[in-house]
Amino acid sequence: MMSKKILQVEQLNVTIPGKVLIHQLSFDVYSGTLLCLTGDNGVGKTTLIKYLLQAAKDTISFQKEIRFNINFDDIQLVPQFRDIDDEFPLSVKDFIVLNLTRQWLPWLIKSENEQLQKIINLTNLNDIKNRALGRASGGEKQRVYLAQALMTHPKLLILDESTSNLDYESRIDLLKLVKKIIAQEQLTVIFITHDPELVQMFGDFELNINNGHGELSNLRLTTKGGKHA
Amino acid sequence: MLSYPFMQYAFIASFFISIICAIIGVFVVARKTSFYVHTLSEISFSGASFAIFAGISPIGGMLMFTILSSIFVSLAGRKLSQREASVSVFSAVFIGLGVLFLSLSNKQSSYATNILFGSIVGISKENLYELLLLIAFILLITVFMFRRLKYISFDTIGAEFNAKGTLWIGLLFLILVACTVSVTAQIVGSLLIFSLLTVPASSAKYLATSVHQMMLISFIFSLFGTWMGLYLSYISNWPVSFFITIIEGVFYCFSLLYHKLSTTYRA
């Protein structure tokens, strides 16, 4: 049994001005799975993600090569770096609801408040929800970022090295949480990471970019064979 | 004091100016465009002196100049408004133009002082209606784009990836700032706009724990500063903008002190 594809990439060339970073890249992303995107710095992972978002955003870019079965609004990207001013009095709760822009009312409507409480419970942020975001720890911040992304009921979540500045325990906790949400919400996750241990522990697929080529492997079949059957 | 109509107008206008300065100021501080507001104030001086030269209303000239330069800055590039070198060039050119228009218009120098530093008797009944209309417009647009503006201001990078139309919201915001500058200049004068537009919000930043609180605190600071300033100016005959800047400056120093003390205590 294979769940349905939410994204198909076929023979995509990922380029920056004057250079092809990845040649003829093809891979599929299945709903409800965690795909780890790995490879050294500078191989084009971030550029690839930008391509994907661009293709989802407008109907002109890469229409032959990138086919989404979801809309741009169904995608949330958690960027690696954010320029949050530590002194700015933005509470954790304030931050989580920032991406709710479908309504225009300056305050939250009832369904949004319910969703907020649900996500806060899910991401275990009840204790710090009224605290300033600038004072949260690294692990807490990543949970807050994750919580914000979940507010819009995304179908695809892209995590850009969300664990790179965390200690071992926080990494494992964050990924466990992500896996739990994947199972609960039928979410699909693309996780950019440099951490082979996390890939082995939590990944369903690995797309490794190396030497200008990308290779997709099904980790469920190779390392935990039979578990998926 | 309140039996004079011009004082009534000034008090009413400052109340509403404090509202928009509190709201827009929080975004100006969050988006780190304080320096750009400084430039806009010089541009608004230039606009007002052009208006005198051309024989139109000063606020009309201010709006024209500030809105046009906001559009230009947005089109020229998002980072431009934060780049100090290009902003300095802007300031210099517009002050130069302002001086030219003033000398061409053959008005007395007291006119220039009024534009630059504001005046307690500056607001007539017609001015007040004009101001209130503009303020209503600013508030209406702000309410409609409030959520999007919050997103691109407080989580700029996240919004760049996940939201559509961020460029337009940024442009619309700069136009709102331009309008706010033109309105605020009527009380404190064009050179001291940031004393109401960025100083109260910067003080509130150190005291508040949420965005709404920050807006409320900056509103209280602005309102206290302008009303107290008007009163003191009335009894002493010293310029109103002097009192406003001093009061806002004192608020800022105390807020900063409070912030330093509370962070050292916590650590």
Side-chain angles (χ1 to χ4, degrees), chain A:
Chain A
M1 133 288 33
M2 255 307 168
S3 45
K4 80 176 205 281
K5 290 176 191 173
I6 66 155
L7 166 65
Q8 286 169 280
V9 175
E10 263 172 46
Q11 311 210 319
L12 173 71
N13 285 321
V14 177
T15 60
I16 52 172
K19 194 182 171 195
V20 181
L21 288 175
I22 311 173
H23 298 268
Q24 303 284 304
L25 178 67
S26 300
F27 65 96
D28 296 333
V29 180
Y30 295 94
S31 164
T33 62
L34 186 123
L35 177 124
C36 297
L37 179 54
T38 58
D40 294 335
N41 283 325
V43 292
K45 302 189 298 283
T46 307
T47 316
L48 169 63
I49 295 300
K50 279 190 182 145
Y51 274 37
L52 294 181
L53 285 175
Q54 194 59 44
K57 200 181 240 175
D58 62 50
T59 49
I60 338 157
S61 314
F62 317 111
Q63 288 313 295
K64 255 195 274 170
E65 298 96 335
I66 302 174
R67 254 167 294 156
F68 272 105
N69 292 321
I70 52 173
N71 300 317
F72 178 72
D73 287 343
D74 296 324
I75 306 172
Q76 281 284 319
L77 177 130
V78 179
Q80 184 182 4
F81 302 109
R82 277 185 140 113
D83 53 349
I84 307 289
D85 179 356
D86 280 354
E87 284 184 339
F88 203 81
L90 190 68
S91 70
V92 166
K93 239 161 84 180
D94 280 341
F95 183 84
I96 292 175
V97 298
L98 282 180
N99 61 353
L100 293 178
T101 53
R102 278 171 224 181
Q103 297 283 332
W104 63 267
L105 282 172
W107 51 86
L108 295 180
I109 59 172
K110 190 162 167 265
S111 64
E112 289 169 332
N113 263 318
E114 287 165 1
Q115 169 76 354
L116 173 64
Q117 197 46 54
K118 188 188 134 195
I119 297 294
I120 284 179
N121 291 338
L122 186 66
T123 48
N124 194 19
L125 291 168
N126 253 315
D127 294 340
I128 61 161
K129 65 182 176 190
N130 292 318
R131 214 190 287 167
L133 179 61
R135 278 190 230 135
S137 72
E140 285 167 345
K141 270 190 186 135
Q142 289 301 332
R143 291 215 306 278
V144 174
Y145 297 162
L146 181 66
Q148 189 206 58
L150 293 172
M151 282 303 287
T152 58
H153 305 279
K155 291 183 180 135
L156 172 64
L157 189 66
I158 303 170
L159 303 174
D160 192 353
E161 306 204 20
S162 295
T163 53
S164 57
N165 290 318
L166 302 183
D167 58 42
Y168 181 78
E169 217 169 295
S170 312
R171 284 172 202 216
I172 302 289
D173 284 349
L174 190 74
L175 262 292
K176 274 186 181 160
L177 178 62
V178 170
K179 288 294 269 192
K180 185 175 136 193
I181 298 163
I182 290 176
Q184 266 180 29
E185 315 268 322
Q186 265 301 299
L187 183 71
T188 310
V189 175
I190 297 178
F191 175 40
I192 304 176
T193 182
H194 287 286
D195 194 329
E197 200 185 340
L198 291 180
V199 176
Q200 286 304 318
M201 282 172 80
F202 296 103
D204 297 313
F205 293 89
E206 178 179 2
L207 177 62
N208 182 259
I209 316 279
N210 194 8
N211 274 330
H213 293 278
E215 197 185 332
L216 185 74
S217 44
N218 187 334
L219 302 168
R220 288 307 177 91
L221 294 175
T222 50
T223 60
K224 306 165 193 170
K227 203 177 164 188
H228 207 69

Side-chain angles (χ1 to χ4, degrees), chain B residues 4 9 15 32 66 127 130 141 160 167 186 199 243 245:
Chain B
Y4 292 105
Y9 301 151
F15 178 82
K32 301 187 181 75
T66 52
N127 287 149
E130 237 172 31
I141 306 281
E160 243 163 62
L167 268 179
Q186 309 306 312
V199 177
F243 290 111
T245 45

